[in-house]
Amino acid sequence: MPSEIRVDSPDQERFLRELLDAGLLIDGGTPGVYGHGAAFERVRAAFAALVTAEARAAGAVSLTFPPIIARDKLETAGYVGNFPHLAGTIFGFDGSETEARTLRERAAAHEDWSELQSQTDLMLLPAGCYPVYPAVAARGPLDPGGVLVDIGAAWVFRHEPSLDPARRQSFRMHELVRIGEAEAVAAWRADWAQRGVRMLRGLGLDAELENASDPFFGRAGRLLAASQSAEDLKWELVVPIAGPEPTACASFNYHLDRFGETWGLRLADGTTAHTACIGFGQERVVAALLRTHGLEPERWPDEIRARLDAALSADPEPAGVTWLDTDATTNAATPAC
Amino acid sequence: MPSEIRVDSPDQERFLRELLDAGLLIDGGTPGVYGHGAAFERVRAAFAALVTAEARAAGAVSLTFPPIIARDKLETAGYVGNFPHLAGTIFGFDGSETEARTLRERAAAHEDWSELQSQTDLMLLPAGCYPVYPAVAARGPLDPGGVLVDIGAAWVFRHEPSLDPARRQSFRMHELVRIGEAEAVAAWRADWAQRGVRMLRGLGLDAELENASDPFFGRAGRLLAASQSAEDLKWELVVPIAGPEPTACASFNYHLDRFGETWGLRLADGTTAHTACIGFGQERVVAALLRTHGLEPERWPDEIRARLDAALSADPEPAGVTWLDTDATTNAATPAC
């Protein structure tokens, strides 16, 4: 598939080159796929610890998911239909010895062997929250107050090759998912949006909260995006990194009862639960910090370093399964997460 | 693709059920794809810290890679040709509005939409070491002594659906990669095989080191496996988990100059470097511990818990870029890692 590489600003390409030259990123040989050096990872881990500490204090349950997901779950969730251009599907080989020989020869010559592949029942995980809803639904009705899940750093995939170092095809999204009564869930999203602003500004970033929408596909998608925006269901925390526009480093998404209905998420009284999720783009937050404070974290302002070091040294031991003690409708297009 | 699900022993299926019932694993809706609860993750993180502490003491460089890799790298490395049955290829959508509508309808009905997908230039990462060789080669000739890389926990993919909880399609492999002079690399593998035995036995596991071979595809593959075994290039550390045979929980692989030639890895004197890698299957190690000591880690023997707790609390801060100070050949089939 001759993927179109997104046209980026010279500023973004220059920043990418600087990150590669400094060993913060490692060239993966294709746009949007990078390894990371130790200095990059240390900052990322510190930011993850900062988010997890706040989530744990709020009673979050820790769950961890792999970077792949059963295809039928994304079909059911509507992701495939709404974001076909971003979705990654896993194909595999199920052929004969003769076909394997053909595949081997073509692969060695870097020729096309796609006809020797067939679709498996697996896809790449596009956002960390998708496996959470069916997992929680399988436990039966929620306890009063619902639940808060911290999925930590999930590797997610978006098929959008770009030379902007802040636009990856594979990256880590730190997501928190809240499932419960409508008002409690809406209030939780509003509270975390403010926490997000405080967290990023506390690290010296020029972060602003904005109304936003998901990149739904095509003409029909523009209507869905407009409706999502009008209903105020997606907020993004944008920070200047590189390029003419600030970059979304976190999103705060309210799904109303859409996923509750889809997955049969029930409250203790039998009514449908509401859901919200928030996600911090870990690589984007680190890129914003590097752009703002310079490429050498050991020379960042003392206050910023102290805040990150403190988070990292506060051993973020995963919390046990804890259910929240708090209190308790419409329908929209399925959001990206 | 109607994937064949590997037939497993009743013992393995029972153990899987116990892990799910205890909330240690979370059902992903398809064999070999599981989420993990906090208790499972805590043990996994402790074991990772144990390995990383030893690697750091030996001067390892920390590098981190995403769960996907450019397709041409796996073609070049020979993985696609040797392990077509295990490889996962990423397909995507590049069609029109009309095609997107068809895709959307079929996906919503869980019908076949594979004809609307085309191959991208990306694959799933099959072992953590693959991105390391080209990354190190890009730096130019190695310093004397070569290099040791700790890639931490990489998410890897193998297309082999199974009801054995120790056989995942997506799992974390903690790999260390050694690149340098032939004798130094061979000695390093032998040393780490003994460290691996000590590490697993120190956690109360009945671990045995064995000569092994990779699961090369088909009839031709059986010859490659026999040659690999005869040359003593792969050792596995096997531990009883469930099922009639013990399960490989770690492997210690010597590639001679195979990857050195493929990627142009040069020593300071211009000759080709040798390479070796070792990998601990993190989920398998945790499964072995749970099977051996019981499903409640808080009730494991004091000595085992103390060892894991100590590793976890010794903040495993990634090391800076350090090159080893230590003291240079043949050719075989490309191994799995």
Side-chain angles (χ1 to χ4, degrees), chain B residues 194-275:
Chain B
Q194 292 310 317
R195 287 182 194 232
V197 170
R198 276 202 308 276
M199 238 179 249
L200 296 194
R201 289 188 184 160
L203 295 174
L205 300 180
D206 184 13
E208 295 291 340
L209 199 62
E210 289 186 352
N211 174 298
S213 62
D214 283 310
F216 296 99
F217 180 79
R219 283 189 301 275
R222 283 197 287 279
L223 295 177
L224 296 175
S227 147
Q228 186 185 33
S229 179
E231 293 193 80
D232 205 25
L233 297 178
K234 187 178 192 78
W235 305 329
E236 287 179 342
L237 202 40
V238 303
V239 181
I241 301 182
E245 303 288 339
T247 301
C249 289
S251 72
F252 307 86
N253 311 284
Y254 182 27
H255 317 125
L256 306 166
D257 64 353
R258 179 71 174 81
F259 286 140
E261 284 291 346
T262 299
W263 298 110
L265 289 160
R266 301 274 166 241
L267 298 170
D269 67 5
T271 60
T272 300
H274 278 223
T275 68

Side-chain angles (χ1 to χ4, degrees), chain A residues 130-146:
Chain A
Y130 283 109
V132 172
Y133 309 109
V136 171
R139 297 178 176 191
L142 292 160
D143 285 346

Side-chain angles (χ1 to χ4, degrees), chain B residues 131-142:
Chain B
V132 173
Y133 310 110
V136 172
R139 296 179 178 193
L142 292 160

Side-chain angles (χ1 to χ4, degrees), chain A residues 1 30 75 110 117 119 121, chain B residues 1 30 75 110 119 121:
Chain A
M1 174 166 169
T30 194
E75 292 170 341
H110 302 296
Q117 297 283 289
Q119 193 171 25
D121 67 343
Chain B
M1 176 164 167
T30 193
E75 290 170 341
H110 301 298
Q119 192 170 26
D121 67 342

Side-chain angles (χ1 to χ4, degrees), chain A residues 52-64:
Chain A
T52 287
E54 288 223 22
R56 194 185 321 138
V61 179
S62 260
L63 298 179
T64 306

Side-chain angles (χ1 to χ4, degrees), chain A residues 298-309:
Chain A
E298 65 280 11
R299 301 174 72 175
W300 288 358
D302 288 345
E303 189 195 337
I304 309 293
R305 290 174 50 217
R307 202 159 289 176
L308 292 170
D309 283 344

